[in-house]
Amino acid sequence: MRLVFADHEPHLKPNPRRDHMSGVPELSYSTLDRHGGRVLAPGQVMRTAGQSAPVGTIYRYDRLLVDESVIHDSETREQLEKAIRPTGMLMESQAARSIVPGQGSYRVPVLSNHGDQAAVDAWSLLQRLRTMNDETSLSGEILDKVRLEHLMICSKGNPGVSGGEPPVADSRAFGLGRIPVDMVNPMPSRKQLDRRLRVAVLDTGVPNRHPAFDVSDRTEDEDTFVVVDHAFQAKLGEHSDSPAAPLDDPWEGPVHEPTLIGEVASHYGHGTFMAGLLRQISPDVQLYSLRVVHNDGLAYEHEVIAALHHVADQVEAVRRGDSEAFGVDMVVLAMGYVDESPDDQPGGWIGEAVHRLAGLGIPVVAAAGNQSSDRPFYPAAFAAHSQVENAAPVLSVGALNPNRHIAMFSNEGPWVSCYATGAGLVSTYPCEAKGSRMPDRRAKSSILNRHRESHDPDDFSSGFAVWSGTSFAAPLAAAFLLNAITDLGVTEVDDAIQASARAHEALKRLKSR
């Protein structure tokens, strides 16, 4: 395995001939309905006169992201509510609060019908607000503070399969589907260290028990490989505004989606697989697991933003001398979205959260996406955006096949920083995962008290699996960078400048190998 860097600095390059739906993942109707999601297809939606047509994305149709300055100022909030009222929709923001006080800078107002005047749709509402020309019109300053909330998709598996797995035997499949395997090699031992590098992984979580690693809560102050945060998860659950099950527990689950089929959920085990890759390549680090992704692979933009600010708050608290804080040295993200802006320049607050971490000297390593597209996939594509002075790097990571060629499913483009192996990887998987798919053949053994059978495609009791995706290239790239930082011998840093310099020096050494 190796890390292959682009031979240029990441940058955004407009593509006027791009398919407007390029990069938009295919999701089943039931998955969209579970999260109140809707696909923005440029030819099927209202658009503002005189403005460029949007490009495709996926958003929550009855939610908006609104800057807290609008909500907290009674006069401004009244202006917004007054402007919305003629559209036939109402804004019910009183139930939505910031998950991270003081740093979220957004609220999630709920939109609802008012009579039969209009269907609830956040995109249509935004277009109407921009075209109003009467006493209810809003200023551009206020309009810039009201945006869509995107549904973010985890970057695993195979594109074009509507949330399912490709047939393992189908040679035409872009990626190799998740299948159970056994691990022959033991996990590398961990050294006893006074100070470990710590990496935050924002994903589907990890099981509370797995033979490959131990787990504890951050309040227990134990030197386990995985540390979870019950307090953060409880807060996330408390403020949940979704019809889907709240992410109020750090452990992955349930195993199956709420259907009658009984198959293992499409992204169940995703966070465990990422954790296992880090455990294999960089065993002496500590993983801080925050669960922000549902088991069907979807995450809400505002919850991801909240988790990023939560991590940044902890870093700042550590540097102020707070002994209770839990700082990190790196952040890994495997989810993202394509923005509706025709110039691929996203608005909103997720960029602010990523840039805040980089400004604190914390590298952010993000998966480039699995849509076989060159369209910028955010937050990975923030690697192509300019950073403040002395900021740590933001890396966007595409996937390689084992033969070092770019995987067919991987996104690529001038905004991708580097590529790591992301196809046919072996890593940890929750042992309790067992689905309804059966072996092709099964018979009773004539000698032992067990069955003879062909490979069971979804019995993961071995605790390991083969899987593919840029989701898994990202933690590998992060592990290489963590190991390079370790080789520098600089485990303690006092401020953002030192932390950023350490990250850039480690990255420079990786590129020179």
Side-chain angles (χ1 to χ4, degrees):
M1 291 180 290
R2 60 177 297 192
L3 201 56
V4 175
F5 287 91
D7 57 4
H8 58 263
E9 288 298 314
H11 63 277
L12 294 177
K13 183 179 180 181
N15 182 357
R17 296 181 298 277
R18 178 183 296 138
D19 176 356
H20 286 181
M21 292 303 291
S22 173
V24 179
E26 296 184 22
L27 300 174
S28 68
Y29 291 124
S30 60
T31 300
L32 286 170
D33 182 65
R34 187 180 302 131
H35 300 283
R38 188 167 289 166
V39 176
L40 191 156
Q44 302 173 10
V45 297
M46 176 187 294
R47 55 182 281 197
T48 305
Q51 299 293 319
S52 300
V55 286
T57 191
I58 299 176
Y59 65 102
R60 300 179 74 191
Y61 68 83
D62 61 348
R63 299 292 192 274
L64 288 169
L65 290 185
V66 179
D67 193 281
E68 283 198 325
S69 63
V70 174
I71 302 298
H72 289 321
D73 185 280
S74 58
E75 182 178 344
T76 308
R77 173 173 169 167
E78 186 177 342
Q79 288 181 50
L80 179 57
E81 291 177 339
K82 185 178 179 180
I84 290 176
R85 202 168 294 121
T87 70
M89 286 178 258
L90 293 176
M91 186 179 76
E92 304 170 358
S93 61
Q94 67 275 8
R97 293 163 288 177
S98 291
I99 299 168
V100 181
Q103 290 293 349
S105 69
Y106 56 86
R107 294 275 176 123
V108 188
V110 180
L111 301 176
S112 63
N113 285 75
H114 179 56
D116 297 322
Q117 298 179 46
V120 174
D121 182 62
W123 171 258
S124 298
L125 172 59
L126 288 176
Q127 303 316 296
R128 288 170 177 165
L129 292 178
R130 290 186 169 96
T131 55
M132 283 180 173
N133 189 23
D134 54 30
E135 68 278 1
T136 65
S137 298
L138 295 172
S139 67
E141 182 181 0
I142 296 177
L143 285 172
D144 286 342
K145 297 178 179 180
V146 183
R147 301 182 181 274
L148 293 180
E149 178 174 20
H150 299 92
L151 280 174
M152 304 175 74
I153 182 74
C154 250
S155 303
K156 70 91 216 172
N158 183 59
V161 191
S162 298
E165 297 291 347
V168 173
D170 187 355
S171 62
R172 297 169 300 173
F174 285 169
L176 181 64
R178 169 187 58 182
I179 57 173
V181 297
D182 208 351
M183 175 74 88
V184 177
N185 293 329
M187 284 287 173
S189 59
R190 300 184 79 212
K191 300 175 184 176
Q192 295 292 324
L193 298 175
D194 295 330
R195 165 71 165 90
R196 294 190 187 278
L197 293 176
R198 187 177 291 146
V199 54
V201 176
L202 280 56
D203 209 80
T204 62
V206 292
N208 56 357
R209 289 182 300 275
H210 193 282
F213 40 72
D214 46 1
V215 184
S216 65
D217 184 74
R218 57 170 286 193
T219 59
E220 297 171 354
D221 195 27
E222 294 187 12
D223 187 27
T224 53
F225 179 71
V226 178
V227 174
V228 297
D229 196 330
H230 281 87
F232 175 80
Q233 298 299 155
K235 189 176 292 186
L236 204 66
E238 177 187 352
H239 298 290
S240 176
D241 67 338
S242 166
L247 303 178
D248 55 359
D249 194 293
W251 318 123
E252 286 191 299
V255 177
H256 311 98
E257 294 296 353
T259 68
L260 298 179
I261 299 176
E263 289 186 315
V264 177
S266 65
H267 288 68
Y268 180 74
H270 193 271
T272 303
F273 201 91
M274 293 175 68
L277 292 170
L278 284 162
R279 179 68 179 81
Q280 293 175 67
I281 307 300
S282 193
D284 293 325
V285 305
Q286 189 171 61
L287 190 156
Y288 181 38
S289 174
L290 296 176
R291 187 180 176 208
V292 295
V293 179
H294 293 261
N295 285 321
D296 53 15
L298 292 180
Y300 306 141
E301 188 178 1
H302 83 278
E303 292 186 345
V304 175
I305 296 169
L308 291 171
H309 279 301
H310 173 70
V311 172
D313 286 347
Q314 298 299 309
V315 171
E316 290 185 339
V318 167
R319 292 178 185 167
R320 290 194 303 267
D322 184 350
S323 60
E324 300 296 322
F326 202 76
V328 305
D329 301 279
M330 190 177 296
V331 174
V332 178
L333 303 169
M335 83 295 287
Y337 71 98
V338 287
D339 196 83
E340 68 277 5
S341 171
D343 59 2
D344 292 315
Q345 295 285 351
W349 297 275
I350 193 164
E352 292 179 7
V354 170
H355 294 319
R356 181 186 175 204
L357 283 163
L360 290 170
I362 307 302
V364 178
V365 182
N370 291 2
Q371 288 75 44
S372 301
S373 170
D374 67 347
R375 188 170 164 199
F377 186 75
Y378 288 95
F382 285 121
H385 288 230
S386 59
Q387 300 284 342
V388 298
E389 188 178 1
N390 296 320
V394 176
L395 294 181
S396 49
V397 188
L400 298 174
N401 288 319
N403 65 0
R404 305 295 184 266
H405 290 291
I406 298 173
M408 187 64 77
F409 58 76
S410 177
N411 289 349
E412 66 168 319
W415 51 274
V416 179
S417 308
C418 59
Y419 297 82
T421 307
L425 291 166
V426 177
S427 188
T428 49
Y429 199 83
C431 302
E432 59 267 31
K434 182 173 175 59
S436 59
R437 297 167 66 188
M438 297 297 292
D440 292 333
R441 301 185 66 184
R442 193 178 196 195
K444 184 70 175 177
S445 168
S446 60
I447 299 175
L448 301 178
N449 185 26
R450 59 188 63 209
H451 286 93
R452 295 165 50 84
E453 61 182 35
S454 55
H455 195 161
D456 190 324
D458 59 359
D459 181 347
F460 294 90
S461 54
S462 67
F464 296 93
V466 173
W467 217 349
S468 300
T470 59
S471 286
F472 311 132
L476 280 186
F480 292 137
L481 184 54
L482 287 163
N483 289 348
I485 291 174
T486 300
D487 291 343
L488 292 175
V490 183
T491 56
E492 296 286 350
V493 291
D494 297 326
D495 55 33
I497 294 177
Q498 291 181 10
S500 179
R502 179 183 68 175
H504 280 288
E505 178 60 27
L507 189 60
K508 179 181 177 181
R509 294 193 180 191
L510 274 180
K511 289 181 177 180
S512 65
R513 290 178 182 173

